[in-house]
């Protein structure tokens, strides 16, 4: 597999350079500007004491997410969804995916009656925006939970984060399974899969789609192998980004 | 696994009774009323000669789908999306899934510049509405393609259908992988997966979500085994439903 | 008048075959699938204990209705109103008509603080969808009221239904007044009238429209005669449909 | 019947004072400010050469109408429909009624490929706004047709207006049929009917609704008698308003 | 400057004929039909005891405004914003301007927990609709405050109106600063400014826009001189309109 | 005036630190990330060959702008306008202001039939977002024009930029006129003015609003003096940002 070189010089099983800039926003309780190569997503976590009315009184918290793209994050300018007057299907779908992925690692009982809204705004898109959003949102979430603990909205002994979570895309291009597809690769992929995995290596979401030809069981297994290796690496980068500040602050 | 009996008396690897009533609609070029147990979905296929303007002149067709639920298809009446003034995220997501699933088995070149819109309206919901929708929409699509051939919009030698496609849900409940979840099972599932498979046994979509605890590789494999057995059975039921009329008409 | 034979073989004063299938929906408190010839409307009645906030505390109930057409209930597929983002004028108008018609036979004091929402979804349209909707919704309403009584939301001695109600269309085609127009007749009618009548033969709504030439007093009277005969027959069909189950259940 | 005196001193069969101020708008091709007592509606007719694309090339014109109320035309201020983001059911229904009523007296072939849009904006509401709108819109329409003829968009020998049209409300209050209901009467009426009649005395629309108790055949006849007398009087007032300017201009 | 004569015969520093007809609406607590030449705006003030929930309990009132144009107030008919389903940017902007302008002369503490909504509906547009709206809305507001005092919603000694307010447009046309631009002047103006001034001669809003070439400090000063002279005159007309009725009623 | 020290240590006539990072976006034809202190706005310019249909064939170009805030650019998270389904009044107003300001310095004839859309997305808000947006958008615009010239969409001798443009806010706080208000100052300002000025020192927009007490002529003059000094300084910063790359590229 490793003889093949990709357009940007990577091997098939190599992530793009990943950077996470924590605390990018002065206002949000948690924030991270994450890059997967040229894909850049600004993730903020807004912590509010209290939950929506329909959830109140049960001692449980709530975590939700919204994803959006700036109009010129893409090669061709897109119309704003606010101007069109409605949120598109793809945006809805990704917002729901990000929310579910993060809820999978939060103990709502330990969070208590607090709400965290994650906003993932794509500043620049080059493939993998949803996986970058999930990976960055986790860091913003962790910061916001730390903020909540410091401000005594979360009990000092409570551990609302039960695991970490990250995501990566994988796909088959010209018959070769590849990790973390850039945009030029994504449009050519026969099969495209987004995989969300916890720090302990368990699956939260597996979303595989045959864009071209349907895929067989062996291909599915190869893609899952690649994805697990990629998310293991991402978990390490998240951990490094979070270690000093959250731990010591 | 087979010692466990489900609420409706099924074994874990058993589908609910599946019925497909073809030609239910007098107006549509293709139609099927499909039942997966108490889940009933009316699928119509509208065949139009010509394609949207942005696709014209390329000699290729287009297939798309819309999914919706009647307001009282569910236990609690839901507000109509038309009255709310917008299509919800879940509806969008499923419409897109149905469309992608059917496009996976259509040769757009062989279809020629024709458009087929599949409408999947859930009359009664008891879990698995999206998988029933895909399975029924395939039958409506096959009818509509036959109609297009009879009306000479499709070449007599063209074979736009390159395979059949069906879908089923699988999930883990109390640690046991189960096939074709009814609503009461779906809400209790720790992991929920929708799998779309062609008649030849290839994957079109694999969408697994950890609703409760994340799942491991072995559980994923067990679920895929169940799903492949289920879709094989569904392909047979589709084939039986289509055999007399389309073949002989 | 009776020498004229219509396209489907009926005499001018003849209804199409009318069937009412009660209890079609497993979820709704009341339901009926009604057919006026090829027009098929699924009517469900959703019973909720309580009334909207602005009505609370007055000891009175509320009955309302929503009408809609499936996108391919018609010869040409229509865009969904949910996708267009708004309910059209015709839909609004018919929903209001159905609601008013049913409220005319309900004693809101006897209903008590309960709400019934009638959903009339046209599965197949061949003229007279609004009159079929009213006629079928009455049956669903009666079932739901019985359900409310059984579940003790309505007093055992209360009689919220003060009369039955049904509706039929009449029109003048080539100078001949005709009953219960099918679609091919409806588009040719010079005058089109929908008449809603109670079981006792009193008018609830009379909506006559000159589609072609204006009409005179004598024509109006002929149409009303036809409509009263038609609704008397419909009242009998409703009564037959309701007799066993509601009475004995 | 004539012994009963109404709140404003009228007999049951008496119209409110009706005034029609033609040419109120400097911009519109036709206009009339009409009053039925305290109900005041500004009607403008906008004449455009050409028709919507879907009608082009058939040599026929189009007439349509839009009705709306100013937010403080009523006793309680209403929210603007523009601010709510959608046109309500009642507004839709009345706009459609006004359009149909005027189309009934226009020969679309004689109009030629021209479009006339009638805007009926209620400045002050005191019952009967839709009937005042129809009656005033006819005057605006006649002016606009004259304008079209003067500007040679309509043939000099063409007679697009085949009749005049006016409308009035009638209702039963405390058992007495009454003509042209003011708001305080309208809210108390057991039955409420809007009748649209041509200058020759033919019906264009008959819309009767039982607001309280259903009505019988004799009551319906009494109401129609009243309405025909009222619209005869309105036709005279329209004619007087139109006589000098349109005839001599 | 005074040698130049404008299309309508005015000198550059001359207002169009201004008329204010108070109490035009029978329903509203305050109202004025104002004309600046052919521009006619119906202004109503709706007085409600109480404030929006988010303001309650602070002993302060609220004043807000909505501006709109009738579809055929202009030379070319415009689509209704209700039909388009959204309020346009210009409408929003002017509504906000009118609201701010009037709040600038109201002592919210003296108003007490009462709300006044000003609706400014343009019946006929010929330039300067926003300045006529502000000038007329002030008169409607003053009437409504008097109504509130009479009905004891405002304390008898409270003086919620701390000043009067009016507005005028000014602009530079062919190098000459001119007062109160009519539509034909407005479209030709290089610079266009709307100035809102209190009765004491203080600025509430200065909104100058270079439509053609940017303007310098001296031009700005000339325009402000003209505007102050114009608003002084308007304040006199407002005062005359209000003197008898409000003082003596 | 200079004795007063502001919360962030500035003198009343001092700008916050201004930085302009050009070419921030890899996709857009022009871009700038601008900071006015903690206010950060990402400005992109999208260059398209061609103009909207209604402008075609006149040999003139078009420049327009859209402004928006990220949901957590502010202290409290705001709901997204896309989710609310409509663009708010303030957003509309600022988008229009930015567009007008930039059009004031573009020669549309020299631009030719090309369209430039400026997107100004506020990543972090601390007062002055609209003035930062205008100032940054100018830099993005200049870059995009250079791109258009390089790609031969603009004539090599054409000079579409006829001047530069920048903007700054000024206000009166506790009686003292101050330059470039931060958020904490803005909410306390009695008068708030946004001034848009060209590089040559001419006014494009002057928008002054009395938030508290109305202001007099002298205060207006003081504010204009401050604004002109501020925009002179901003023009220098813009020039420095543009000098190397555009000139030499």
């Amino acid at each position: 597999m490793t003889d093949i070189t990709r357009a940007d010089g990577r091997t098939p099983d190599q992530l793009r350079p990943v950077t996470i800039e924590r605390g990018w926003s002065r206002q949000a309780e948690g924030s991270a500007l994450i890059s997967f190569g040229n894909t850049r997503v600004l993730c903020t976590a807004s912590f509010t004491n209290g939950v929506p009315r329909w959830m109140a009184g049960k001692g449980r918290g709530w975590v939700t997410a919204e994803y959006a793209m700036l109009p010129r994050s893409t090669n061709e300018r897109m119309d704003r969804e606010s101007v069109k007057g409605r949120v598109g299907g793809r945006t809805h779908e990704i917002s729901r995916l990000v929310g579910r992925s993060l809820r999978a690692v939060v103990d709502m009982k330990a969070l208590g009656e607090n709400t965290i809204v994650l906003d993932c705004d794509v500043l620049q898109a080059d493939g993998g925006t949803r996986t970058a959003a999930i990976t960055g949102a986790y860091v913003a979430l962790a910061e916001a939970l730390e903020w909540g603990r410091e401000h005594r909205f979360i009990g000092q002994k409570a551990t609302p984060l039960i695991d970490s979570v990250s995501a990566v895309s994988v796909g088959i291009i010209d018959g070769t399974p590849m990790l973390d597809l850039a945009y030029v690769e994504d449009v050519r992929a026969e099969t495209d899969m987004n995989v969300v995995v916890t720090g302990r290596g368990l699956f939260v979401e597996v979303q595989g789609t045959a864009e071209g030809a349907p895929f067989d069981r062996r291909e599915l297994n190869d893609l899952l192998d690649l994805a697990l290796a990629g998310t293991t690496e991402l978990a390490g980068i998240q951990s490094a980004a979070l270690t000093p500040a959250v731990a010591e602050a």
Side-chain angles (χ1 to χ4, degrees), chain A:
Chain A
M1 189 197 287
T2 47
D3 290 355
I4 294 168
T5 306
R6 297 156 78 175
D8 54 6
R10 285 187 284 157
T11 56
D13 58 353
Q14 197 178 351
L15 292 174
R16 289 176 286 180
V18 174
T19 64
I20 301 177
E21 190 179 337
R22 273 184 57 204
W24 195 90
S25 159
R26 295 175 61 93
Q27 277 108 338
E29 286 74 32
S31 65
L33 179 61
I34 189 165
S35 303
F36 276 25
N38 289 324
T39 288
R40 300 170 86 169
V41 184
L42 178 55
C43 306
T44 60
S46 297
F47 189 108
T48 317
N49 185 228
V51 287
R53 190 171 312 186
W54 56 275
M55 291 193 66
K58 299 178 187 160
R60 297 171 58 82
W62 186 238
V63 172
T64 187
E66 290 185 6
Y67 165 98
M69 300 181 85
L70 289 200
R72 193 55 199 279
S73 58
T74 45
N75 284 329
E76 303 276 315
R77 183 181 185 275
M78 302 177 302
D79 288 338
R80 287 174 191 270
E81 295 188 325
S82 58
V83 169
K84 288 193 285 187
R86 48 181 147 185
V87 171
R90 179 184 172 276
T91 299
H92 254 141
E93 205 170 307
I94 299 179
S95 293
R96 288 156 54 90
L97 170 65
V98 177
R100 279 199 311 272
S101 297
L102 292 166
R103 283 194 292 277
V105 295
V106 174
D107 174 347
M108 294 299 170
K109 206 82 192 171
L111 174 53
E113 295 206 354
N114 295 297
T115 301
I116 298 178
V117 181
L118 293 148
D119 285 290
C120 300
D121 286 272
V122 178
L123 304 186
Q124 204 164 270
D126 185 27
T129 61
R130 78 188 70 187
T131 52
I134 291 167
T135 307
Y138 168 74
V139 174
L141 171 69
E143 267 199 348
L145 288 170
E146 192 57 32
W147 182 95
R149 189 194 308 277
E150 284 167 18
H151 289 74
R152 310 256 158 192
F153 294 123
I154 296 177
Q156 299 308 303
K157 295 184 182 167
T159 53
L161 265 188
I162 53 186
D163 203 342
S164 72
V165 67
S166 68
V168 79
S169 71
V170 285
I172 299 175
I173 297 164
D174 297 335
T176 305
M178 293 191 181
L179 178 67
D180 186 23
L181 309 187
Y183 181 72
V184 292
E185 295 170 334
D186 190 52
V187 294
R188 289 182 50 222
E190 292 110 48
T191 290
D192 182 15
M193 189 175 299
N194 291 291
V195 186
V196 184
V197 181
T198 71
R200 296 201 178 95
L202 297 171
F203 295 108
V204 171
E205 290 266 344
V206 173
Q207 294 199 338
T209 298
E211 302 286 352
F215 51 100
D216 63 22
R217 191 77 177 258
R218 189 190 49 74
E219 289 171 315
L220 176 57
N221 279 325
D222 287 350
L223 290 172
L224 292 170
D225 288 342
L226 267 183
L228 287 170
T231 50
T232 300
E233 193 173 339
L234 289 169
I237 297 169
Q238 288 175 320
S239 175
L242 281 167
T243 308
V246 168
E248 302 174 10

